[in-house]
Structure formats: structure tokens, C-alpha cells
Amino acid sequence: MPAQILDGAAMAEKIRQQIAQEVAQRLAEGKPAPGLATVLVGENPASQVYVKSKHKACQQVGIRSMGYELPATASQQEVMDLVKHLNDDPAVNGILVQLPLPSGLDEEKVLGAISIEKDVDGFHPINIGRLAQKGREPLFVPCTPAGCMVLIESVLPDLNGANAVVLGRSNIVGMPVALLLVRANATVTICHSRTRNLKEVCRSADVLVAAVGRAEMVRGDWVKPGAVVIDVGINRVEDATQPRGYRLVGDVAFDEVKEVAGWLTPVPGGVGPMTIAMLLQNTLRAARLSDV
Ligand code: GUN
């Protein structure tokens, strides 16, 4: 039986509606609109697209968003000064510094300068550290990993003892999603470029999260029948039949894997919209935290 599609776009729409309702309620109570500040350094075209869609989503739910742009030549001090200014601005509840930063800037220092109460991306070392430790609670969980978990738990609410395999160990997705799966009591394997018998390891997964950035790397025979497969990849592949000359594909060979998996996220329309929904949720939470 072919896989059922895990429709991230539809799930994100429902979450956005709930957020819009709560924002409207807050405004009716005389509270200010939640505020999100984005910081984009340089002109990475993919980052520009992502930041634009984050602003559009904020607008849809009544969150006030403010975009700050710095040139790729900005100094470490200029970026740090901007973050400090946003930390001090009471109209800003959440600060998102779009990654990657241009080379030469110290990402760890910039992320560490964000006030943890405004760290809606969940990348501050304290938030990540708490995520990695038993009995500690981060104030915010990174958005793409949080979105993956909502998708997974919508069809597999009990992950106790499930075998979860994460392909990729990035700071933004692979590592934090693995930490979240451990917190949900799954048995977690993180695969990377040095992993041996990759196909066999993947085939042992009840839950497979692909976040490596390699177009259609996960083939049909890498997947256990009935598995939940979450495709985080967004890769451009040349396609002369498309007006833009390319199409977007995930890290999973969709047509092959849909014949084997139990559940599968599409690209686009899977994890992407959920990432943004989680950012809106985190921003609303930051606004609640700032209520006196
Ligand atoms: N770059 C790719 N994904 C993300 C994300 O979730 N947050 C930020 N800040 N940068 C990213």
C-alpha cells in the first residue's frame, strides 16, 4: 500500500489559525502585537527567500515583524551591536538571525548574544544545552526540529522504544531533532558521512528523518515498510521543463519511497511550512513570557 502523505502545509495552516486567534485575543485585552525581528546579513538568495516567507507568515497571523539587513561586509561588532539593540527593544519579543552568516563572522558569539527570552530559534547555547540534558527545559526549541516532531507525533504519538534514524548532524536540524527524539524515548542513531552500512541502518528505522541536503539520496530500498519518513531537504535540481529552469526535491526519492513508507512528507509542503509555524508559535510564547 503506498504511503500516506503527511501534509505539513495543512497542519501548519491549522496552527497558524490558532496563533492568529490568540494574537487577536491578546490585542482585544490591550496587549501589544507580538514582535519578531529578523536579521539578515549578506545576500544569500535562499536566506532572502526564507526570511521573506517568515515575514509574510507573521503578517498573516497579526505578529509584527521587523526586518534588519546588514551587508556581507558587516563587522562582528556591527552584528553584535544590532543584536544588543534588539535585546533592549521592548517591542521585539523574538530575534531571528538567519543562518548561515557570511564567513568571517563568529556565529556562536552572535547566537550567544541573543537574550535567551528572545531566542525564538532556540540556538542560544543555553537553550541547546538544556535540550541536551535530562531534567532541563529549554525556553525555546529550534523550529525545524520542533516541526518534525509535530509531524511525527501526529501519526506516531508513542515513540517509546521506536528506532529513529537521523541522517545528518547539523546544528540547525540533525543534532537537535535527534535530541528531541531521545527526549521522546526513541532509540536514536545519527548517521553522517562516515557512517558504515548506511542503507542497512536506515532500513532499521521506524522513523527516518533525512536532513543531509543531498537530492533524492534516500532510495526506496533504504526504507523499512511502514516507516514514518520525514524529508527535511530542499534541493534545487536542473529541470529545463520548469519556467525557472529547476525544481525543488527533497533528500528522499519521493516516488520510490512512497511505495514503501507508511507515512511520508512531501517537498515542498511538508517540513517547510511547519518550520515557519513553529517560529510563529515560539514568537507568541516569547510575547507571553514578557507579559508582566
Ligand atoms: N537557516 C536554515 N534554517 C534556519 C532556521 O531555522 N533558523 C535560522 N535562523 N536560520 C536558518
Short mmCIF file of all heavy atoms in Angstrom, two decimals, residues 39 47 50-51 54 95-100 111 121 123 142-145 172-173 275 279, ligand 1:
data_model
loop_
_atom_site.label_atom_id
_atom_site.label_comp_id
_atom_site.label_asym_id
_atom_site.label_seq_id
_atom_site.Cartn_x
_atom_site.Cartn_y
_atom_site.Cartn_z
N VAL A 39 17.20 39.23 11.35
CA VAL A 39 18.48 39.83 10.97
C VAL A 39 19.06 39.01 9.82
O VAL A 39 19.29 37.80 9.96
CB VAL A 39 19.47 39.83 12.17
CG1 VAL A 39 20.82 40.39 11.74
CG2 VAL A 39 18.89 40.62 13.34
N SER A 47 18.49 32.40 1.74
CA SER A 47 18.14 33.05 3.01
C SER A 47 17.14 34.18 2.78
O SER A 47 16.23 34.38 3.58
CB SER A 47 19.41 33.61 3.68
OG SER A 47 20.24 32.55 4.12
N TYR A 50 13.77 32.62 2.47
CA TYR A 50 13.25 32.13 3.76
C TYR A 50 12.78 33.28 4.64
O TYR A 50 11.71 33.22 5.25
CB TYR A 50 14.33 31.33 4.51
CG TYR A 50 14.74 30.04 3.83
CD1 TYR A 50 16.05 29.60 3.88
CD2 TYR A 50 13.80 29.26 3.15
CE1 TYR A 50 16.44 28.41 3.25
CE2 TYR A 50 14.18 28.07 2.54
CZ TYR A 50 15.50 27.66 2.59
OH TYR A 50 15.88 26.49 1.98
N VAL A 51 13.60 34.34 4.70
CA VAL A 51 13.25 35.47 5.59
C VAL A 51 11.95 36.13 5.09
O VAL A 51 11.07 36.47 5.88
CB VAL A 51 14.41 36.48 5.67
CG1 VAL A 51 13.98 37.77 6.35
CG2 VAL A 51 15.58 35.85 6.44
N LYS A 54 9.03 34.18 6.17
CA LYS A 54 8.78 34.32 7.61
C LYS A 54 7.99 35.61 7.89
O LYS A 54 7.05 35.63 8.67
CB LYS A 54 10.10 34.29 8.40
CG LYS A 54 10.73 32.89 8.39
CD LYS A 54 12.16 32.82 8.92
CE LYS A 54 12.74 31.43 8.68
NZ LYS A 54 14.12 31.25 9.12
N ILE A 95 14.01 37.31 18.36
CA ILE A 95 15.09 37.72 17.45
C ILE A 95 15.53 36.50 16.66
O ILE A 95 15.85 35.46 17.25
CB ILE A 95 16.31 38.28 18.23
CG1 ILE A 95 15.88 39.48 19.09
CG2 ILE A 95 17.44 38.65 17.27
CD1 ILE A 95 16.97 39.94 20.07
N LEU A 96 15.53 36.64 15.34
CA LEU A 96 15.97 35.53 14.50
C LEU A 96 17.12 36.00 13.62
O LEU A 96 16.94 36.91 12.81
CB LEU A 96 14.80 35.05 13.62
CG LEU A 96 15.12 33.91 12.65
CD1 LEU A 96 13.95 32.96 12.58
CD2 LEU A 96 15.50 34.42 11.27
N VAL A 97 18.30 35.46 13.84
CA VAL A 97 19.44 35.77 12.98
C VAL A 97 19.51 34.64 11.94
O VAL A 97 19.77 33.48 12.29
CB VAL A 97 20.75 35.84 13.79
CG1 VAL A 97 21.93 36.09 12.85
CG2 VAL A 97 20.67 36.93 14.85
N GLN A 98 19.24 34.99 10.69
CA GLN A 98 19.19 33.94 9.66
C GLN A 98 20.59 33.36 9.44
O GLN A 98 21.57 34.09 9.30
CB GLN A 98 18.63 34.53 8.36
CG GLN A 98 18.37 33.52 7.26
CD GLN A 98 17.27 32.51 7.58
OE1 GLN A 98 16.37 32.77 8.37
NE2 GLN A 98 17.35 31.33 6.98
N LEU A 99 20.65 32.04 9.38
CA LEU A 99 21.91 31.33 9.17
C LEU A 99 21.92 30.72 7.77
O LEU A 99 20.85 30.42 7.24
CB LEU A 99 22.06 30.23 10.23
CG LEU A 99 22.02 30.72 11.68
CD1 LEU A 99 22.07 29.54 12.65
CD2 LEU A 99 23.16 31.70 11.97
N PRO A 100 23.03 30.51 7.14
CA PRO A 100 24.37 30.77 7.67
C PRO A 100 24.74 32.24 7.59
O PRO A 100 24.26 32.96 6.72
CB PRO A 100 25.27 29.95 6.72
CG PRO A 100 24.52 29.92 5.42
CD PRO A 100 23.06 29.93 5.78
N LEU A 111 24.95 34.17 18.23
CA LEU A 111 23.80 33.46 18.81
C LEU A 111 23.82 33.57 20.34
O LEU A 111 22.78 33.69 20.98
CB LEU A 111 23.78 31.99 18.37
CG LEU A 111 23.60 31.78 16.85
CD1 LEU A 111 23.69 30.31 16.51
CD2 LEU A 111 22.29 32.36 16.37
N ASP A 121 14.60 31.05 17.88
CA ASP A 121 15.19 29.99 17.06
C ASP A 121 15.73 28.85 17.92
O ASP A 121 16.06 27.78 17.41
CB ASP A 121 16.37 30.57 16.25
CG ASP A 121 16.10 30.57 14.77
OD1 ASP A 121 15.26 29.76 14.32
OD2 ASP A 121 16.73 31.38 14.07
N PHE A 123 18.60 28.55 19.32
CA PHE A 123 20.00 28.22 19.05
C PHE A 123 20.97 28.78 20.08
O PHE A 123 22.18 28.58 19.97
CB PHE A 123 20.43 28.74 17.66
CG PHE A 123 19.73 28.06 16.51
CD1 PHE A 123 19.44 28.76 15.34
CD2 PHE A 123 19.37 26.71 16.58
CE1 PHE A 123 18.80 28.13 14.27
CE2 PHE A 123 18.73 26.09 15.52
CZ PHE A 123 18.45 26.80 14.37
N PRO A 142 14.40 24.63 18.68
CA PRO A 142 14.60 25.03 17.29
C PRO A 142 13.41 24.63 16.39
O PRO A 142 12.80 23.58 16.58
CB PRO A 142 15.89 24.30 16.88
CG PRO A 142 16.64 24.17 18.17
CD PRO A 142 15.58 23.92 19.22
N CYS A 143 13.13 25.50 15.43
CA CYS A 143 11.85 25.43 14.71
C CYS A 143 11.72 24.22 13.79
O CYS A 143 10.68 23.55 13.79
CB CYS A 143 11.65 26.70 13.91
SG CYS A 143 11.70 28.18 14.95
N THR A 144 12.73 23.92 12.98
CA THR A 144 12.59 22.79 12.06
C THR A 144 12.50 21.47 12.84
O THR A 144 11.60 20.66 12.57
CB THR A 144 13.75 22.76 11.04
OG1 THR A 144 13.75 24.00 10.34
CG2 THR A 144 13.60 21.62 10.05
N PRO A 145 13.37 21.24 13.84
CA PRO A 145 13.22 20.02 14.63
C PRO A 145 11.86 19.93 15.33
O PRO A 145 11.23 18.86 15.36
CB PRO A 145 14.36 20.12 15.65
CG PRO A 145 15.39 20.95 14.96
CD PRO A 145 14.62 21.95 14.17
N ILE A 172 21.48 22.95 13.05
CA ILE A 172 20.13 23.52 12.85
C ILE A 172 19.06 22.44 12.87
O ILE A 172 17.96 22.65 13.36
CB ILE A 172 20.08 24.32 11.52
CG1 ILE A 172 20.98 25.55 11.63
CG2 ILE A 172 18.67 24.71 11.15
CD1 ILE A 172 21.05 26.39 10.36
N VAL A 173 19.37 21.26 12.32
CA VAL A 173 18.34 20.22 12.22
C VAL A 173 18.77 18.88 12.83
O VAL A 173 18.17 18.39 13.78
CB VAL A 173 17.87 19.99 10.76
CG1 VAL A 173 16.69 19.02 10.75
CG2 VAL A 173 17.50 21.27 10.06
N THR A 275 8.11 24.50 9.86
CA THR A 275 9.20 25.30 10.45
C THR A 275 8.69 26.71 10.76
O THR A 275 8.89 27.25 11.86
CB THR A 275 10.39 25.40 9.48
OG1 THR A 275 10.94 24.10 9.30
CG2 THR A 275 11.47 26.34 9.98
N LEU A 279 8.03 28.79 14.33
CA LEU A 279 8.62 30.11 14.61
C LEU A 279 7.54 31.07 15.13
O LEU A 279 7.77 31.83 16.09
CB LEU A 279 9.27 30.67 13.34
CG LEU A 279 9.78 32.10 13.45
CD1 LEU A 279 10.94 32.20 14.44
CD2 LEU A 279 10.21 32.62 12.08
N1 GUN B 1 18.79 28.62 8.19
C1 GUN B 1 18.18 27.46 7.83
N2 GUN B 1 17.22 27.14 8.71
C2 GUN B 1 17.22 28.11 9.65
C3 GUN B 1 16.44 28.33 10.83
O1 GUN B 1 15.55 27.56 11.19
N3 GUN B 1 16.76 29.46 11.53
C4 GUN B 1 17.75 30.30 11.14
N4 GUN B 1 17.98 31.36 11.91
N5 GUN B 1 18.49 30.13 10.08
C5 GUN B 1 18.21 29.03 9.32
#
